Structure formats: C-alpha cells, structure tokens
C-alpha cells in the first residue's frame, strides 16, 4: 500500500522568527518519496511557511485519511496562546498577540490522527521554543496522541537576536539521502549523534510504535477499511456502554467512545448521525463544566458544524440547525463568522420551506 508523507516547515516572518524552518525543505525534498515513507511508493505533500491554520488543517486531515502508512515531518517553532496557554505551531503571520488565530493548535495533530490504526503513523519533529513555552514543556510533555510513533527534539530558546537551525531534521534528511531508511529508532539515534555538541541539549522526543494486540481501535479501523461500517459502530457502541457503566455518562472514557461513533458515522457517509452525535458530545462537555474555548469543546462544535454543512436533506438540516446555532453562540470557535454561517444557512432553509 502506498505511503503518505507530509512535509511541514513553518515559522513567523520577521522579528518573531526563532528558527529558519523552511531551510530544511530542500534537503528533505531531495530524498526519494519511498525512502521518506519507508514504503515501495509514496505521495508527498509539502507545506512551506503556510499562512492559514485552516489550510494546514485541510492538508493534515487529507493525509490522515490516507489508508497506508503516514509519516509527518514537522520543523518549526512552538508558542503558547495567551488565553489557554496551549502550544501552537507558529505560522508565517503569527505574532505573540495573535497565536490563537494565526497559529496551528498542536492538539489538532492529536485530533486528526487519533482514528488511524496504531502503528501506521509517525511524527518526526524538530521544534524550537521561546522561553515561556520551553518552561511549560519541561514540566508538561507535548501530547501527540496515543497510537502515534514520535521521534525528534524540542530545542531551547536560541540566543537573543539569533535564529536557530533545524539541525536535527537536516541530520535526518542527510541520513535518508543515502537511499535507505533505517528503523526509526536507529534513524533517531543517528540524527541525535550528528547534532550532539552543535547546540544546547534540548528535550528528546521518543515514543515507539504502540502494541496493537487486543486494541479495540484497531478492530474498529479494520472493520471500516473492509466497508463493515455497521459492525464498526456496533463494536464502538459496546465499548461506549461499558465506559458509561464503569465511569458514568459524562466521563472522559464514555465521551471518547461517543466521539469515535461520531467519526464512524462520518466515515460511513451519514452526516446527520455524525452531526447529532457531535452536538451531544459538545453539550455533554459544557454540562460537565468544560470551558467554551476548551480544545475538546471547540473540536466537537467545529465537527458538528462541518457535518451539518454536508447534510443534503433540508428537513434534517432544519431539525439540527437550532441546536447548532445555540452551541455556536456559546462556542464561536477560531474561524471568524462561524455563527453567522450557521444562522444564515438556517435562515435560508426556513425561508425555502415557507415558500414551498
């Protein structure tokens, strides 16, 4: 099965730049796609200093949907947003004051990759930080999600008025240019060895591939890939019921499986069921006391909104529209005009019904 490779290099333009991330892309691009992916054939998508986090999300989502092995190479810098103190990947237009709106929230990686089969996804990371982000990450590791193999490093802040280099990623690319991709553990060790002593020691990232034996997510993914969508949903429903019995209906464990079922409905081509389920998740999280701008709440409402927009049955769209408007008024999200978009479409649907 062909592999997929996403090359992402991003850093702000101007004084806020901590690393010349895009400098590594020519070196990575010189590596054969199959070697980058570790497969016989591969498709490569390259993003150099992108401007819009939504555009990056679209490419990431498409890569995550690919059925074969996925390798994501990320070079760039992490910054915290001022409201929630969550790490974001800074993009070309990011400034300290606009992180929340112009940078890519790191938890989007976790969200988009979470349904992939364990052992099929690899992140190779070379990340730089400012002082504030560095101090937080020293005590709170970067969350890349379960089921994902992660290798790389997080570099400490560069000296004042200097710009760091993606040395680790260049070392990875140099090893791969030999035409052979060693096991990732060995590739990581070789890259670290090449940059040792060149820069101050950073935080090493090393999460080997997870074990898949008995993993219900793997069984569900296998059912989806075989086209057995009802079987996949039935299996997820059993785990959801077990989580409710063990931990309660509003628990993190139960909501996880409700989210899985929402994604399964999307994969089955049922946007009505997917939208309704995501609305349930968002309402449950808010009822449990989570803040309207919490990443999990925003993600649930954003996904409900996305699925609602894919509903062709006007009666069903009118049925779900008011609940989405109510949630959007409480959870506006990061995309400007989201509430107006829902209200506008619902208004048109209602007008069309009156005309008929």
């Amino acid at each position: 099965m062909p592999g997929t490779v996403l090359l992402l290099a991003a850093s702000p333009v101007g004084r806020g730049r901590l690393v010349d991330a895009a400098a590594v892309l020519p070196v990575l691009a010189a590596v054969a796609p199959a070697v980058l992916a570790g497969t016989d054939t591969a498709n490569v998508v390259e993003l150099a200093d992108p401007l819009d986090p939504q555009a990056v999300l679209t490419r990431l989502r498409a890569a995550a949907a690919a059925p074969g092995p996925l390798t994501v190479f990320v070079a760039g810098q992490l910054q915290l947003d001022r409201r929630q103190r969550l790490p974001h990947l800074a993009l070309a237009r990011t400034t300290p004051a606009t992180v929340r709106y112009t940078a890519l929230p790191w938890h989007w990686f976790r969200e988009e990759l979470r349904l992939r089969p364990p052992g099929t996804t690899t992140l190779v990371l070379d990340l730089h930080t400012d002082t504030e982000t560095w101090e937080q990450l020293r005590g709170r590791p970067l969350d890349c999600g379960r089921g994902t193999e992660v290798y790389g490093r997080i570099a400490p802040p560069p000296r004042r008025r200097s710009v760091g280099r993606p040395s680790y990623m260049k070392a990875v690319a140099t090893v791969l240019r030999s035409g052979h991709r060693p096991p990732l553990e060995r590739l990581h060790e070789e890259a670290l060895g090449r940059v040792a002593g060149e820069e101050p020691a950073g935080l090493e990232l090393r999460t080997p591939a997870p074990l898949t034996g008995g993993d219900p997510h793997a069984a569900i993914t296998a059912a989806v890939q075989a086209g057995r969508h009802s079987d996949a949903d039935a299996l997820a429903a059993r785990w959801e019921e077990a989580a409710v019995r063990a931990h309660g209906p509003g628990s993190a464990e139960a909501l996880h499986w409700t989210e899985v079922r929402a994604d399964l409905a999307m994969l089955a081509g049922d946007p009505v069921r997917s939208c309704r389920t995501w609305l349930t998740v968002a309402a449950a999280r808010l009822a449990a006391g989570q803040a309207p701008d919490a990443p999990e709440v925003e993600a649930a409402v954003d996904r409900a909104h996305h699925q609602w927009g894919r509903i062709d049955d006007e009666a069903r769209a009118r049925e779900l529209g008011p609940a989405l408007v109510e949630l959007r008024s409480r959870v506006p999200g990061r995309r400007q005009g989201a509430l107006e978009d829902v209200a506008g479409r619902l208004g048109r649907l209602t007008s069309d019904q009156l005309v008929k």
Side-chain angles (χ1 to χ4, degrees):
M1 187 173 291
T4 300
V5 176
L6 178 61
L7 306 178
L8 172 56
S11 54
V13 175
R15 291 184 299 175
R17 172 170 290 195
L18 300 177
V19 57
D20 183 11
V24 77
L25 284 177
V27 189
L28 282 171
V31 180
V35 176
L36 287 172
T39 56
D40 291 337
T41 60
N43 301 308
V44 178
V45 177
E46 180 178 311
L47 296 176
D49 282 329
L51 301 174
D52 179 20
Q54 292 292 333
V56 179
L57 176 62
T58 298
R59 297 297 184 90
L60 175 62
R61 184 168 290 164
L70 170 64
T71 307
V72 182
F73 296 86
V74 183
Q77 67 187 62
L78 295 176
Q79 293 180 228
L80 303 178
D81 71 291
R82 291 181 173 177
R83 181 183 298 182
Q84 295 177 287
R85 324 304 295 167
L86 294 174
H88 289 59
L89 183 70
L91 303 183
R93 293 186 295 196
T94 299
T95 66
T98 65
V99 170
R100 178 172 168 79
Y101 305 101
T102 62
L104 184 78
W106 189 261
H107 61 264
W108 284 6
F109 283 98
R110 182 189 67 227
E111 288 293 322
E112 295 305 321
L113 300 176
R114 66 192 176 91
L115 273 190
R116 287 184 55 81
T120 66
T121 309
T122 303
L123 289 176
V124 182
L125 309 176
D126 190 347
L127 303 170
H128 287 63
T129 61
D130 56 23
T131 301
E132 187 178 34
T133 309
W134 172 254
E135 291 300 326
Q136 175 167 305
L137 291 177
R138 290 178 66 185
R140 189 187 308 171
L142 193 65
D143 183 4
C144 298
R146 60 182 175 183
T148 300
E149 193 169 6
V150 183
Y151 294 99
R153 64 91 180 254
I154 300 177
R159 293 187 301 274
R160 189 178 181 183
R161 296 182 181 177
S162 65
V163 176
R165 298 177 299 164
S167 303
Y168 171 85
M169 193 68 77
K170 283 189 175 181
V172 167
T174 300
V175 174
L176 294 177
R177 285 181 67 178
S178 67
H180 169 66
R181 173 167 153 165
L184 289 169
E185 283 266 11
R186 190 186 309 162
L187 175 63
H188 174 66
E189 291 288 352
E190 288 191 34
L192 286 181
R194 287 173 178 258
V195 301
E198 293 184 12
E199 298 175 346
L203 299 175
E204 181 185 357
L205 302 172
R206 186 199 298 255
T207 306
L211 299 174
T212 59
D215 186 346
H217 296 84
I220 290 170
T221 301
V224 170
Q225 292 178 339
R228 296 183 286 107
H229 295 284
S230 60
D231 291 347
D233 183 66
L235 180 57
R238 290 199 295 271
W239 280 90
E240 181 184 33
E241 292 168 4
V244 169
R245 288 195 302 270
H247 305 284
S251 63
E253 292 82 359
L255 286 176
H256 166 74
W257 287 108
T258 308
E259 291 179 342
V260 169
R261 297 189 70 192
D263 277 329
L264 290 174
M266 174 197 67
L267 294 171
D270 189 345
V272 174
R273 182 159 56 94
S274 183
C275 175
R276 183 180 288 115
T277 307
W278 280 117
L279 290 173
T280 300
V281 170
R285 290 192 178 280
L286 289 169
Q290 294 188 24
D293 60 356
E296 294 81 1
V297 176
E298 285 189 341
V301 178
D302 287 346
R303 288 169 184 265
H305 189 164
H306 180 262
Q307 289 300 296
W308 186 72
R310 300 177 68 87
I311 298 174
D312 295 326
D313 186 324
E314 294 186 358
R316 292 295 187 90
R318 281 193 298 270
E319 173 193 342
L320 294 173
L324 181 58
V325 169
E326 192 276 331
L327 277 172
R328 263 298 178 218
S329 66
R330 300 173 64 187
V331 186
R334 296 165 180 264
R335 174 173 280 182
Q336 293 184 349
L339 174 59
E340 292 77 5
D341 175 73
V342 179
R345 185 188 178 209
L346 182 58
R348 291 191 295 273
L349 290 170
T350 304
S351 298
D352 291 344
Q353 182 186 31
L354 293 175
V355 170
K356 293 177 181 177

